[in-house]
Amino acid sequence: MDVVIGIDIGGTKTKIGLVNSTGECLEKTFFRTKEYPDLDAYQDKLVDSAI
């Protein structure tokens, strides 16, 4: 099964979704973007949330 990770980086929330080739959302999560003002901390949270 082919899947992709979609990431929507917004000013208040970052949303992450795992979507298959038919467009079905298999998993989703979000976290507050403003809680990670440091780029390194934000990237770490993004990777941790996507795994």
Side-chain angles (χ1 to χ4, degrees):
M1 173 190 311
D2 292 330
V3 295
V4 296
I5 296 175
I7 302 171
D8 176 7
I9 301 172
T12 57
K13 288 190 278 190
T14 296
K15 302 173 194 172
I16 304 169
L18 184 66
V19 182
N20 67 16
S21 60
T22 64
E24 179 185 4
C25 184
L26 305 173
E27 296 286 334
K28 61 184 175 180
T29 190
F30 75 93
F31 61 90
R32 300 205 182 285
T33 306
K34 292 182 179 184
E35 290 181 14
Y36 301 90
D38 175 76
L39 180 58
D40 290 331
Y42 178 81
Q43 288 175 330
D44 290 342
K45 177 63 176 177
L46 192 59
V47 170
D48 290 342
S49 298
I51 298 177

